Amino acid sequence: MSTARTGDDRTRVVVLAHEKFPERAKTATGVLKYADYDVVAVLDRDNPGTSASDHRRDLPDVPVVASMDDAPEADALLIGISPIGGAFDETWRDDVRTAIEGGCDVIAGLHYFLTEDEEFAELADEHGVELNDVRKPHDDLTVAEGRSADVDADVVLTVGTDCSVGKMTVSLELVEAARERGIDAGFIPTGQTGIMIAGWGNPIDRVVSDFTAGAVEEMILEVGDDYDVLFVEGQGSITHPAYSAVTCGILHGAMADAMVLCHVDGREAIHGYEEFEIPPVSEYVDLYENLAAPVHEGSVVAGALNTSRVEGDDAAREAVESYSESLGAPATDPVRFDADEILDAVLEET
Amino acid sequence: MSTARTGDDRTRVVVLAHEKFPERAKTATGVLKYADYDVVAVLDRDNPGTSASDHRRDLPDVPVVASMDDAPEADALLIGISPIGGAFDETWRDDVRTAIEGGCDVIAGLHYFLTEDEEFAELADEHGVELNDVRKPHDDLTVAEGRSADVDADVVLTVGTDCSVGKMTVSLELVEAARERGIDAGFIPTGQTGIMIAGWGNPIDRVVSDFTAGAVEEMILEVGDDYDVLFVEGQGSITHPAYSAVTCGILHGAMADAMVLCHVDGREAIHGYEEFEIPPVSEYVDLYENLAAPVHEGSVVAGALNTSRVEGDDAAREAVESYSESLGAPATDPVRFDADEILDAVLEET
């Protein structure tokens, strides 16, 4: 784990997004929207001289420059795009070299590990900077000790009815909403994009299966005393034919005090596993709570419904209302509307 | 995966257990008791000229010899002991070399990988034999597809209230008991010792967490059409603070038709995690069945109680009776008594 988190001296980051910014640069835009970093520039050789906010209204006013040579002083370069297959694009080599020579750490989520690139490894060594391949689990991971509940922060976990229902986004929206209320909220990333956004974290789906809970616990113990509330990014679903192991390990490793159940409106079967029906949401509440209880009692206190496919806010509100009733708890779509109702429910419980 | 399973031409195996046979050679004795192999000799330089059955009544009459030079012809050498830390003991080198030169595969469950030993790798290549490091997950593992229920065999999974409650032993006793009744029963190993005994299998606790269910499914698809019943070795417990991810992945990957709940009489807290109580056994039945159901319906049809710490058979029968009542299903201690009651319940369900 590396690089800094929120504070008075936030890490200054340059985000590389050549030729794909913003629509094909999800990590870059995620970092701009949600990360703790002070993003000082976006690298896009197609759009020098513009601002990120020119390209999308919800992005901050950050200068877009053509190369690392034109970027302001920074602490780290973050690779904010990923070609199919996670390869390293050789047209980025000059920027990475310039960054390292200028004393920048480099953060990447590629399958191609920068630490195994001979030139970068030697150069990083020479300049005393860190190459952080976030997809590579570190070597000291081990089994959980069951100690996550000992930290000062309350722990909130996003859980889901399926994969790709918005658990990371909901977690990040809750962090933002809590911070807006002056609450010292932290984010525990568990997947590649979450880790890129946070700038640290363990890629839970890539660790040795015996260490699944332990890799979550390690993160919570590391920062849990520094925050009032931690929002842990969930993965998969406890009913998923392939990924439930990761979900279960996060559930028990996080020892969450409260859970937020995420769902996509209208989804009736597991994505990509269409013969597996998604059970009623009330069943998920029982499954998550009953499975959590022997390790740590935690309740599903609210729901987050992804209504991105619902046309019109009125219909979306109806969908949310119906979801809330099935769940027996407050619910909303925190992206379409805001996260207040979920946050209220979370704060009441914790 | 490699080497053969039961059949008319069983793999002839020499088991290495120098200086530790039988009491400190659990893998060797497990292989002698349960494996599908035709064990043709045990290597123990301390006891040449004896028989395994001289040392322990429950072991078969297999000659003990001093070295590979004295062993009868075989297809494989299996390392049946493991020093602390899983290192390779250099006093074994001559035996391994002789085995390879004689055309034997070598099966080992050490942390030290024989495939990474330069001499052995070259020698194995030269002689066309396989070095099988069972602790090393193979490279082609991937995510589950949810297809384990498609095989011809019924699938029975041992589940537990904790680690080290006897899931492997119960599975193997059930395989034996079923075979004695003429049922074509197979064993799906999931841990190191089970794999050593079976001579093939994926070490589920060492695979990438995303592939936990997939690594179980791969084994079931590979052999599931060759048997009437498959007994899958469970791992950990669904309430374990550290290992539940592995348990959950096996549960969903196996898609079991029936489960056998294993417990140690008198154990009240998770072993090594004493602040975590073991919930009532009826709660385990609900947890396992409810968690299994969205992927594949399966019932806990019987219980296996480890009464090794109970003095006297009468007291053990009382303990079993009480366990059966709590469980609401037949139960016994298949090691102390026999596996018939469990097998009857399993066969009735599947």
Side-chain angles (χ1 to χ4, degrees):
Chain A
M1 290 187 264
S2 76
T3 50
R5 290 174 291 280
T6 306
D8 294 315
D9 52 342
R10 290 188 299 161
T11 304
R12 293 162 303 173
V13 164
V14 175
V15 175
L16 185 151
H18 285 306
E19 300 174 14
K20 296 191 173 172
F21 188 77
E23 290 316 324
R24 290 177 297 147
K26 272 169 82 172
T27 300
T29 54
V31 165
L32 280 161
K33 274 194 79 165
Y34 296 115
D36 294 333
Y37 299 126
D38 177 15
V39 179
V40 294
V42 170
L43 303 189
D44 179 5
R45 59 175 78 96
D46 286 351
N47 292 295
T50 63
S51 162
S53 57
D54 298 338
H55 298 275
R56 238 174 62 184
R57 279 183 312 172
D58 62 336
L59 297 178
D61 180 21
V62 167
V64 178
V65 299
S67 79
M68 203 60 203
D69 291 322
D70 306 324
E73 205 185 330
D75 305 306
L77 171 66
L78 184 150
I79 310 295
I81 49 181
S82 180
I84 289 168
F88 182 82
D89 185 325
E90 286 298 328
T91 72
W92 307 339
R93 187 166 289 271
D94 281 348
D95 287 319
V96 173
R97 193 186 291 123
T98 306
I100 296 172
E101 289 170 349
C104 282
D105 294 336
V106 185
I107 307 167
L110 304 170
H111 275 302
Y112 180 87
F113 294 142
L114 301 187
T115 44
E116 291 173 8
D117 181 290
E118 209 171 311
E119 182 190 7
F120 294 150
E122 278 179 21
L123 215 52
D125 201 41
E126 189 183 324
H127 292 272
V129 305
E130 192 179 352
L131 303 177
N132 184 3
D133 290 307
V134 308
R135 254 190 183 159
K136 197 180 199 175
H138 73 84
D139 290 333
D140 300 327
L141 291 173
T142 186
V143 298
E145 296 179 39
R147 297 203 294 124
S148 285
D150 299 348
V151 301
D152 291 341
D154 292 315
V155 176
V156 181
L157 172 66
T158 48
V159 293
T161 56
D162 194 1
C163 290
S164 308
V165 293
K167 289 177 288 284
M168 185 192 77
T169 302
V170 171
S171 305
L172 291 165
E173 290 288 347
L174 283 166
V175 171
E176 296 260 300
R179 287 179 184 167
E180 277 167 25
R181 294 197 197 176
I183 295 161
D184 200 358
F187 173 61
I188 301 290
T190 58
Q192 179 206 344
T193 308
I195 293 170
M196 294 292 285
I197 289 171
W200 72 294
N202 293 325
I204 302 300
D205 57 356
R206 310 305 300 171
V207 307
V208 165
S209 60
D210 245 6
F211 304 157
T212 311
V216 176
E217 182 186 76
E218 185 198 62
M219 292 189 285
I220 290 178
L221 295 183
E222 177 155 332
V223 303
D225 291 336
D226 303 339
Y227 293 99
D228 296 326
V229 188
L230 288 179
F231 291 94
V232 180
E233 175 195 9
Q235 295 288 340
S237 167
I238 202 64
T239 68
H240 198 287
Y243 305 125
S244 62
V246 174
T247 310
C248 184
I250 294 175
L251 182 72
H252 285 154
M255 302 179 77
D257 303 295
M259 292 176 272
V260 177
L261 182 63
C262 305
H263 179 55
V264 172
D265 183 66
R267 194 178 295 181
E268 290 174 357
I270 300 290
H271 180 70
Y273 293 75
E274 306 297 325
E275 69 274 36
F276 295 91
E277 282 176 26
I278 290 182
V281 288
S282 60
E283 223 172 274
Y284 280 97
V285 175
D286 291 341
L287 278 174
Y288 280 115
E289 291 182 351
N290 294 341
L291 187 56
V295 176
H296 187 76
E297 296 266 358
S299 302
V300 174
V301 298
L305 188 70
N306 179 334
T307 64
S308 56
R309 291 187 195 165
V310 178
E311 277 199 41
D313 286 358
D314 288 348
R317 278 186 211 283
E318 269 176 46
V320 159
E321 185 68 26
S322 155
Y323 181 58
S324 169
E325 272 169 36
S326 316
L327 200 63
T332 187
D333 180 339
V335 174
R336 184 166 210 144
F337 306 118
D338 61 48
D340 280 337
E341 277 163 280
I342 300 174
L343 188 59
D344 289 342
V346 162
L347 295 176
E348 198 173 308
E349 179 75 16
T350 56
Chain B
M1 288 186 268
S2 77
T3 49
R5 288 174 292 278
T6 304
D8 294 316
D9 53 342
R10 290 186 301 161
T11 304
R12 292 163 303 172
V13 164
V14 174
V15 175
L16 185 152
H18 285 307
E19 302 175 10
K20 295 190 174 175
F21 187 78
E23 290 316 323
R24 290 176 297 148
K26 272 168 83 172
T27 301
T29 55
V31 166
L32 280 162
K33 273 193 81 166
Y34 296 115
D36 293 335
Y37 299 126
D38 177 16
V39 180
V40 296
V42 171
L43 303 189
D44 180 4
R45 58 174 79 97
D46 285 351
N47 292 296
T50 63
S51 162
S53 57
D54 297 338
H55 298 275
R56 236 174 64 185
R57 278 183 311 173
D58 62 335
L59 298 178
D61 180 21
V62 166
V64 178
V65 300
S67 78
M68 203 60 202
D69 291 321
D70 306 325
E73 205 183 331
D75 305 306
L77 172 66
L78 184 150
I79 311 294
I81 47 180
S82 180
I84 289 168
F88 182 81
D89 184 326
E90 285 298 328
T91 72
W92 308 338
R93 187 166 289 271
D94 281 347
D95 288 318
V96 174
R97 192 186 292 124
T98 304
I100 297 173
E101 288 171 350
C104 283
D105 295 335
V106 184
I107 307 166
L110 305 170
H111 275 301
Y112 180 88
F113 293 143
L114 301 186
T115 44
E116 291 173 9
D117 180 290
E118 209 171 309
E119 183 190 7
F120 295 150
E122 278 180 21
L123 214 53
D125 200 42
E126 188 184 324
H127 292 274
V129 304
E130 191 179 353
L131 303 177
N132 183 4
D133 290 307
V134 306
R135 255 190 182 155
K136 197 179 199 175
H138 73 83
D139 291 334
D140 301 327
L141 291 174
T142 185
V143 298
E145 295 178 38
R147 297 204 293 123
S148 285
D150 299 349
V151 301
D152 292 340
D154 293 314
V155 176
V156 181
L157 172 65
T158 47
V159 293
T161 56
D162 193 2
C163 289
S164 307
V165 293
K167 290 177 288 284
M168 184 191 79
T169 302
V170 171
S171 304
L172 290 164
E173 290 287 347
L174 284 165
V175 171
E176 296 260 299
R179 286 179 185 167
E180 276 167 25
R181 293 197 198 176
I183 296 162
D184 201 358
F187 172 61
I188 301 289
T190 58
Q192 178 207 344
T193 308
I195 294 170
M196 294 292 286
I197 289 171
W200 72 294
N202 293 325
I204 302 300
D205 57 356
R206 309 305 300 172
V207 307
V208 165
S209 60
D210 245 6
F211 304 158
T212 311
V216 176
E217 181 185 76
E218 185 197 64
M219 291 190 284
I220 290 178
L221 295 182
E222 176 156 331
V223 303
D225 291 337
D226 303 338
Y227 293 100
D228 297 326
V229 188
L230 288 179
F231 292 93
V232 180
E233 175 194 10
Q235 296 286 340
S237 167
I238 203 63
T239 69
H240 198 287
Y243 304 124
S244 62
V246 174
T247 310
C248 185
I250 294 175
L251 183 73
H252 285 154
M255 302 179 77
D257 304 294
M259 291 176 272
V260 177
L261 182 64
C262 305
H263 180 55
V264 172
D265 183 65
R267 194 178 295 180
E268 290 174 358
I270 300 290
H271 181 69
Y273 294 74
E274 307 297 327
E275 68 274 36
F276 295 92
E277 281 177 27
I278 291 182
V281 288
S282 60
E283 223 174 273
Y284 280 97
V285 174
D286 291 342
L287 278 173
Y288 280 115
E289 291 182 351
N290 294 342
L291 185 57
V295 175
H296 187 76
E297 296 264 359
S299 303
V300 174
V301 299
L305 188 70
N306 179 335
T307 64
S308 57
R309 290 188 195 164
V310 178
E311 276 200 42
D313 286 358
D314 287 349
R317 278 187 211 285
E318 269 175 47
V320 159
E321 185 67 25
S322 156
Y323 181 58
S324 169
E325 272 169 37
S326 316
L327 200 64
T332 187
D333 180 339
V335 173
R336 182 165 211 146
F337 306 118
D338 60 50
D340 280 337
E341 278 164 278
I342 300 174
L343 188 60
D344 289 342
V346 162
L347 295 175
E348 199 172 309
E349 179 74 16
T350 56

